[in-house]
Short mmCIF file of all heavy atoms in Angstrom, two decimals:
data_model
loop_
_atom_site.label_atom_id
_atom_site.label_comp_id
_atom_site.label_asym_id
_atom_site.label_seq_id
_atom_site.Cartn_x
_atom_site.Cartn_y
_atom_site.Cartn_z
N PRO A 211 129.93 116.84 120.16
CA PRO A 211 128.75 117.61 119.74
C PRO A 211 128.91 119.06 120.18
O PRO A 211 129.53 119.33 121.24
CB PRO A 211 127.60 116.94 120.47
CG PRO A 211 128.12 115.59 120.89
CD PRO A 211 129.56 115.74 121.12
N ASP A 212 128.39 119.99 119.43
CA ASP A 212 128.60 121.42 119.72
C ASP A 212 127.56 121.89 120.78
O ASP A 212 126.60 122.59 120.42
CB ASP A 212 128.52 122.26 118.47
CG ASP A 212 128.98 123.69 118.73
OD1 ASP A 212 129.39 123.97 119.86
OD2 ASP A 212 128.81 124.54 117.83
N PHE A 213 127.80 121.54 122.00
CA PHE A 213 126.88 121.94 123.09
C PHE A 213 126.98 123.43 123.40
O PHE A 213 126.22 123.96 124.21
CB PHE A 213 127.08 121.12 124.34
CG PHE A 213 126.52 119.72 124.21
CD1 PHE A 213 127.37 118.61 124.06
CD2 PHE A 213 125.14 119.48 124.23
CE1 PHE A 213 126.86 117.36 123.92
CE2 PHE A 213 124.60 118.22 124.12
CZ PHE A 213 125.47 117.15 123.96
N ASN A 214 127.95 124.14 122.77
CA ASN A 214 128.05 125.60 122.98
C ASN A 214 126.75 126.25 122.54
O ASN A 214 126.38 127.29 123.10
CB ASN A 214 129.24 126.17 122.15
CG ASN A 214 130.57 125.74 122.73
OD1 ASN A 214 130.88 126.03 123.87
ND2 ASN A 214 131.33 124.99 121.94
N ARG A 215 126.08 125.67 121.58
CA ARG A 215 124.81 126.27 121.12
C ARG A 215 123.67 126.21 122.13
O ARG A 215 122.67 126.83 121.95
CB ARG A 215 124.37 125.53 119.79
CG ARG A 215 125.26 125.79 118.61
CD ARG A 215 124.75 125.08 117.41
NE ARG A 215 124.89 123.61 117.49
CZ ARG A 215 124.23 122.77 116.77
NH1 ARG A 215 123.28 123.16 115.93
NH2 ARG A 215 124.47 121.47 116.87
N ALA A 216 123.91 125.40 123.19
CA ALA A 216 122.86 125.21 124.21
C ALA A 216 123.11 126.05 125.49
O ALA A 216 122.29 125.99 126.41
CB ALA A 216 122.74 123.75 124.56
N TYR A 217 124.22 126.83 125.54
CA TYR A 217 124.48 127.57 126.73
C TYR A 217 123.72 128.91 126.72
O TYR A 217 123.66 129.63 125.75
CB TYR A 217 126.01 127.84 126.89
CG TYR A 217 126.69 126.67 127.51
CD1 TYR A 217 127.46 125.81 126.75
CD2 TYR A 217 126.62 126.42 128.89
CE1 TYR A 217 128.08 124.73 127.32
CE2 TYR A 217 127.23 125.36 129.46
CZ TYR A 217 128.00 124.52 128.66
OH TYR A 217 128.61 123.42 129.26
N LYS A 218 123.17 129.22 127.90
CA LYS A 218 122.50 130.51 128.08
C LYS A 218 123.51 131.55 128.45
O LYS A 218 124.62 131.29 128.83
CB LYS A 218 121.45 130.39 129.21
CG LYS A 218 120.38 129.35 129.00
CD LYS A 218 119.46 129.29 130.24
CE LYS A 218 118.40 128.22 130.07
NZ LYS A 218 117.54 128.13 131.29
N ALA A 219 123.08 132.85 128.45
CA ALA A 219 123.96 133.94 128.78
C ALA A 219 124.48 133.87 130.20
O ALA A 219 125.59 134.34 130.54
CB ALA A 219 123.21 135.28 128.51
N ASN A 220 123.66 133.27 131.12
CA ASN A 220 124.05 133.17 132.53
C ASN A 220 124.92 131.97 132.80
O ASN A 220 125.30 131.68 133.95
CB ASN A 220 122.79 133.08 133.43
CG ASN A 220 121.96 131.85 133.18
OD1 ASN A 220 122.29 131.00 132.38
ND2 ASN A 220 120.84 131.77 133.84
N GLY A 221 125.34 131.24 131.79
CA GLY A 221 126.25 130.14 131.94
C GLY A 221 125.59 128.81 132.16
O GLY A 221 126.28 127.74 132.13
N ASN A 222 124.26 128.76 132.26
CA ASN A 222 123.59 127.49 132.47
C ASN A 222 123.23 126.85 131.12
O ASN A 222 123.17 127.53 130.09
CB ASN A 222 122.31 127.72 133.28
CG ASN A 222 122.57 128.07 134.69
OD1 ASN A 222 123.50 127.57 135.28
ND2 ASN A 222 121.80 129.00 135.25
N LEU A 223 123.03 125.57 131.13
CA LEU A 223 122.72 124.83 129.91
C LEU A 223 121.21 124.79 129.72
O LEU A 223 120.48 124.50 130.62
CB LEU A 223 123.25 123.39 130.06
CG LEU A 223 123.43 122.59 128.79
CD1 LEU A 223 124.52 123.20 127.93
CD2 LEU A 223 123.80 121.13 129.16
N ASP A 224 120.78 125.13 128.49
CA ASP A 224 119.36 125.04 128.12
C ASP A 224 119.09 123.55 127.80
O ASP A 224 119.58 123.04 126.81
CB ASP A 224 119.06 125.95 126.96
CG ASP A 224 117.61 125.97 126.56
OD1 ASP A 224 117.02 124.90 126.36
OD2 ASP A 224 117.06 127.07 126.44
N GLY A 225 118.29 122.92 128.60
CA GLY A 225 118.06 121.49 128.49
C GLY A 225 117.46 121.12 127.12
O GLY A 225 117.87 120.13 126.52
N TRP A 226 116.50 121.89 126.63
CA TRP A 226 115.86 121.54 125.36
C TRP A 226 116.86 121.73 124.18
O TRP A 226 116.92 120.88 123.27
CB TRP A 226 114.62 122.42 125.13
CG TRP A 226 113.48 122.01 125.99
CD1 TRP A 226 112.95 122.67 127.06
CD2 TRP A 226 112.72 120.80 125.86
NE1 TRP A 226 111.90 121.98 127.58
CE2 TRP A 226 111.76 120.84 126.87
CE3 TRP A 226 112.76 119.72 125.00
CZ2 TRP A 226 110.83 119.79 127.06
CZ3 TRP A 226 111.83 118.69 125.18
CH2 TRP A 226 110.92 118.72 126.20
N LYS A 227 117.64 122.84 124.22
CA LYS A 227 118.62 123.00 123.15
C LYS A 227 119.70 121.92 123.21
O LYS A 227 120.18 121.42 122.17
CB LYS A 227 119.26 124.40 123.29
CG LYS A 227 118.32 125.52 122.93
CD LYS A 227 119.07 126.88 122.99
CE LYS A 227 118.13 128.02 122.58
NZ LYS A 227 118.84 129.34 122.65
N ALA A 228 120.09 121.55 124.42
CA ALA A 228 121.11 120.50 124.56
C ALA A 228 120.57 119.16 124.01
O ALA A 228 121.32 118.41 123.35
CB ALA A 228 121.47 120.33 126.03
N LEU A 229 119.29 118.91 124.26
CA LEU A 229 118.68 117.69 123.68
C LEU A 229 118.70 117.70 122.18
O LEU A 229 118.97 116.67 121.53
CB LEU A 229 117.27 117.55 124.24
CG LEU A 229 116.45 116.33 123.76
CD1 LEU A 229 117.18 115.02 124.19
CD2 LEU A 229 115.07 116.36 124.30
N ARG A 230 118.41 118.87 121.61
CA ARG A 230 118.41 118.94 120.15
C ARG A 230 119.82 118.74 119.59
O ARG A 230 120.00 118.10 118.54
CB ARG A 230 117.84 120.31 119.70
CG ARG A 230 116.34 120.41 119.87
CD ARG A 230 115.77 121.56 119.07
NE ARG A 230 116.20 122.88 119.60
CZ ARG A 230 115.54 123.56 120.53
NH1 ARG A 230 114.42 123.05 121.05
NH2 ARG A 230 116.00 124.71 120.92
N VAL A 231 120.84 119.31 120.27
CA VAL A 231 122.21 119.11 119.85
C VAL A 231 122.57 117.58 119.92
O VAL A 231 123.18 117.08 119.00
CB VAL A 231 123.21 119.91 120.72
CG1 VAL A 231 124.64 119.54 120.38
CG2 VAL A 231 123.00 121.43 120.49
N ALA A 232 122.18 116.95 121.02
CA ALA A 232 122.46 115.56 121.20
C ALA A 232 121.80 114.73 120.17
O ALA A 232 122.38 113.78 119.57
CB ALA A 232 122.02 115.10 122.59
N MET A 233 120.50 115.02 119.83
CA MET A 233 119.78 114.28 118.83
C MET A 233 120.35 114.49 117.43
O MET A 233 120.27 113.64 116.56
CB MET A 233 118.32 114.63 118.86
CG MET A 233 117.61 114.20 120.16
SD MET A 233 115.89 114.72 120.25
CE MET A 233 115.19 113.80 118.87
N GLY A 234 120.96 115.67 117.22
CA GLY A 234 121.54 115.98 115.92
C GLY A 234 122.91 115.29 115.72
O GLY A 234 123.34 115.16 114.58
N SER A 235 123.51 114.87 116.83
CA SER A 235 124.82 114.14 116.74
C SER A 235 124.75 112.92 117.63
O SER A 235 125.51 112.83 118.66
CB SER A 235 125.96 115.08 117.13
OG SER A 235 126.03 116.25 116.35
N PRO A 236 123.93 111.97 117.33
CA PRO A 236 123.71 110.85 118.28
C PRO A 236 124.93 109.99 118.49
O PRO A 236 125.15 109.54 119.65
CB PRO A 236 122.60 110.03 117.58
CG PRO A 236 122.66 110.43 116.14
CD PRO A 236 123.10 111.84 116.14
N ILE A 237 125.75 109.77 117.46
CA ILE A 237 126.92 108.90 117.63
C ILE A 237 127.96 109.60 118.47
O ILE A 237 128.51 109.02 119.43
CB ILE A 237 127.49 108.50 116.26
CG1 ILE A 237 126.49 107.62 115.51
CG2 ILE A 237 128.81 107.71 116.44
CD1 ILE A 237 126.94 107.23 114.10
N LYS A 238 128.20 110.89 118.18
CA LYS A 238 129.18 111.62 118.98
C LYS A 238 128.71 111.78 120.42
O LYS A 238 129.56 111.65 121.37
CB LYS A 238 129.36 113.05 118.41
CG LYS A 238 130.10 113.12 117.06
CD LYS A 238 130.25 114.55 116.61
CE LYS A 238 130.96 114.68 115.29
NZ LYS A 238 131.03 116.10 114.83
N THR A 239 127.42 111.95 120.66
CA THR A 239 126.90 112.08 122.00
C THR A 239 127.06 110.75 122.75
O THR A 239 127.51 110.76 123.92
CB THR A 239 125.44 112.46 121.98
OG1 THR A 239 125.29 113.74 121.28
CG2 THR A 239 124.86 112.59 123.38
N ALA A 240 126.74 109.67 122.12
CA ALA A 240 126.90 108.32 122.78
C ALA A 240 128.33 108.07 123.13
O ALA A 240 128.65 107.58 124.27
CB ALA A 240 126.37 107.24 121.85
N ARG A 241 129.26 108.42 122.24
CA ARG A 241 130.68 108.21 122.47
C ARG A 241 131.16 109.10 123.59
O ARG A 241 131.97 108.72 124.40
CB ARG A 241 131.46 108.40 121.19
CG ARG A 241 131.29 107.32 120.18
CD ARG A 241 131.97 107.67 118.86
NE ARG A 241 131.90 106.54 117.88
CZ ARG A 241 132.24 106.64 116.62
NH1 ARG A 241 132.71 107.81 116.15
NH2 ARG A 241 132.11 105.61 115.80
N LEU A 242 130.65 110.34 123.65
CA LEU A 242 131.01 111.27 124.69
C LEU A 242 130.60 110.78 126.07
O LEU A 242 131.32 110.79 127.05
CB LEU A 242 130.38 112.66 124.43
CG LEU A 242 130.54 113.70 125.53
CD1 LEU A 242 132.01 113.99 125.79
CD2 LEU A 242 129.75 114.97 125.15
N ILE A 243 129.33 110.32 126.13
CA ILE A 243 128.80 109.81 127.41
C ILE A 243 129.66 108.58 127.90
O ILE A 243 129.98 108.50 129.06
CB ILE A 243 127.33 109.39 127.27
CG1 ILE A 243 126.50 110.66 127.01
CG2 ILE A 243 126.83 108.65 128.49
CD1 ILE A 243 125.04 110.37 126.65
N ALA A 244 129.95 107.69 126.95
CA ALA A 244 130.74 106.50 127.29
C ALA A 244 132.14 106.93 127.77
O ALA A 244 132.65 106.36 128.74
CB ALA A 244 130.82 105.57 126.12
N ALA A 245 132.75 107.87 127.07
CA ALA A 245 134.09 108.35 127.48
C ALA A 245 134.08 109.01 128.86
O ALA A 245 134.99 108.82 129.65
CB ALA A 245 134.63 109.34 126.44
N ASN A 246 133.02 109.79 129.14
CA ASN A 246 132.93 110.45 130.41
C ASN A 246 132.78 109.41 131.52
O ASN A 246 133.39 109.53 132.59
CB ASN A 246 131.71 111.37 130.48
CG ASN A 246 131.92 112.64 129.66
OD1 ASN A 246 133.03 112.90 129.20
ND2 ASN A 246 130.87 113.37 129.44
N LYS A 247 131.99 108.36 131.30
CA LYS A 247 131.83 107.29 132.30
C LYS A 247 133.14 106.58 132.59
O LYS A 247 133.50 106.30 133.75
CB LYS A 247 130.75 106.32 131.88
CG LYS A 247 129.31 106.89 131.92
CD LYS A 247 128.31 105.84 131.50
CE LYS A 247 126.89 106.37 131.58
NZ LYS A 247 125.89 105.36 131.14
N ARG A 248 133.87 106.27 131.51
CA ARG A 248 135.17 105.59 131.69
C ARG A 248 136.11 106.49 132.45
O ARG A 248 136.84 106.02 133.37
CB ARG A 248 135.78 105.26 130.33
CG ARG A 248 135.05 104.16 129.55
CD ARG A 248 135.91 103.66 128.40
NE ARG A 248 136.19 104.70 127.45
CZ ARG A 248 135.41 104.95 126.38
NH1 ARG A 248 134.32 104.26 126.15
NH2 ARG A 248 135.73 105.91 125.52
N ALA A 249 136.14 107.79 132.11
CA ALA A 249 137.07 108.71 132.79
C ALA A 249 136.73 108.83 134.27
O ALA A 249 137.62 108.88 135.11
CB ALA A 249 137.00 110.08 132.11
N MET A 250 135.42 108.88 134.58
CA MET A 250 135.02 109.07 135.99
C MET A 250 135.43 107.84 136.82
O MET A 250 135.71 107.97 138.03
CB MET A 250 133.54 109.32 136.09
CG MET A 250 133.12 110.74 135.68
SD MET A 250 134.00 112.03 136.57
CE MET A 250 133.65 111.62 138.27
N LYS A 251 135.51 106.66 136.23
CA LYS A 251 135.97 105.50 136.98
C LYS A 251 137.42 105.68 137.38
O LYS A 251 137.81 105.33 138.49
CB LYS A 251 135.78 104.22 136.11
CG LYS A 251 134.33 103.76 135.94
CD LYS A 251 134.27 102.51 135.14
CE LYS A 251 132.81 102.04 134.98
NZ LYS A 251 132.74 100.77 134.15
N HIS A 252 138.22 106.22 136.47
CA HIS A 252 139.63 106.47 136.78
C HIS A 252 139.76 107.58 137.89
O HIS A 252 140.54 107.42 138.80
CB HIS A 252 140.37 106.94 135.55
CG HIS A 252 140.60 105.87 134.50
ND1 HIS A 252 141.53 104.87 134.64
CD2 HIS A 252 139.96 105.60 133.35
CE1 HIS A 252 141.54 104.07 133.61
NE2 HIS A 252 140.55 104.49 132.77
N LEU A 253 138.95 108.61 137.76
CA LEU A 253 139.00 109.68 138.75
C LEU A 253 138.57 109.19 140.11
O LEU A 253 139.12 109.52 141.12
CB LEU A 253 138.11 110.86 138.32
CG LEU A 253 138.17 112.05 139.30
CD1 LEU A 253 139.59 112.62 139.41
CD2 LEU A 253 137.20 113.16 138.77
N GLY A 254 137.53 108.31 140.12
CA GLY A 254 137.06 107.73 141.38
C GLY A 254 138.17 106.99 142.12
O GLY A 254 138.32 107.10 143.34
N LYS A 255 138.95 106.20 141.37
CA LYS A 255 140.05 105.46 141.99
C LYS A 255 141.09 106.42 142.55
O LYS A 255 141.65 106.17 143.66
CB LYS A 255 140.69 104.56 140.95
CG LYS A 255 139.78 103.35 140.52
CD LYS A 255 140.47 102.54 139.45
CE LYS A 255 139.54 101.41 138.96
NZ LYS A 255 140.16 100.62 137.91
N ALA A 256 141.37 107.48 141.81
CA ALA A 256 142.39 108.47 142.34
C ALA A 256 141.87 109.20 143.55
O ALA A 256 142.63 109.35 144.52
CB ALA A 256 142.69 109.48 141.21
N LEU A 257 140.59 109.58 143.56
CA LEU A 257 140.05 110.27 144.71
C LEU A 257 140.02 109.38 145.94
O LEU A 257 140.16 109.82 147.08
CB LEU A 257 138.68 110.81 144.39
CG LEU A 257 138.61 111.94 143.36
CD1 LEU A 257 137.15 112.28 143.01
CD2 LEU A 257 139.32 113.21 143.92
N ASP A 258 139.79 108.09 145.71
CA ASP A 258 139.73 107.13 146.84
C ASP A 258 141.10 107.11 147.57
O ASP A 258 141.18 106.85 148.77
CB ASP A 258 139.42 105.73 146.32
CG ASP A 258 139.12 104.76 147.43
OD1 ASP A 258 138.27 105.08 148.30
OD2 ASP A 258 139.73 103.69 147.43
N VAL A 259 142.15 107.39 146.83
CA VAL A 259 143.48 107.44 147.44
C VAL A 259 143.73 108.80 148.08
O VAL A 259 144.05 108.92 149.27
CB VAL A 259 144.58 107.16 146.42
CG1 VAL A 259 145.99 107.40 147.00
CG2 VAL A 259 144.45 105.76 145.89
N VAL A 260 143.52 109.85 147.28
CA VAL A 260 143.87 111.22 147.69
C VAL A 260 143.05 111.72 148.88
O VAL A 260 143.63 112.30 149.85
CB VAL A 260 143.77 112.17 146.52
CG1 VAL A 260 143.96 113.62 146.97
CG2 VAL A 260 144.81 111.81 145.43
N LEU A 261 141.75 111.51 148.85
CA LEU A 261 140.89 112.09 149.83
C LEU A 261 140.97 111.37 151.20
O LEU A 261 140.45 111.87 152.18
CB LEU A 261 139.48 112.14 149.34
CG LEU A 261 139.22 113.00 148.13
CD1 LEU A 261 137.73 113.03 147.76
CD2 LEU A 261 139.70 114.42 148.34
N LYS A 262 141.65 110.21 151.21
CA LYS A 262 141.86 109.51 152.48
C LYS A 262 143.25 109.80 153.08
O LYS A 262 143.56 109.42 154.15
CB LYS A 262 141.67 108.02 152.28
CG LYS A 262 140.25 107.59 151.95
CD LYS A 262 140.16 106.10 151.69
CE LYS A 262 138.74 105.68 151.34
NZ LYS A 262 138.64 104.24 151.06
#
Side-chain angles (χ1 to χ4, degrees):
D212 189 7
F213 285 107
N214 291 299
R215 291 182 288 160
Y217 277 102
K218 301 177 184 178
N220 63 4
N222 292 322
L223 198 66
D224 184 308
W226 287 109
K227 288 184 179 180
L229 180 60
R230 287 197 292 270
V231 172
M233 292 177 66
S235 302
I237 295 176
K238 288 181 182 178
T239 300
R241 288 174 176 170
L242 172 62
I243 292 171
N246 286 351
K247 289 181 177 179
R248 290 193 299 269
M250 285 306 304
K251 289 182 179 179
H252 289 284
L253 183 60
K255 292 177 182 178
L257 291 174
D258 190 52
V259 173
V260 171
L261 296 183
K262 293 177 181 177

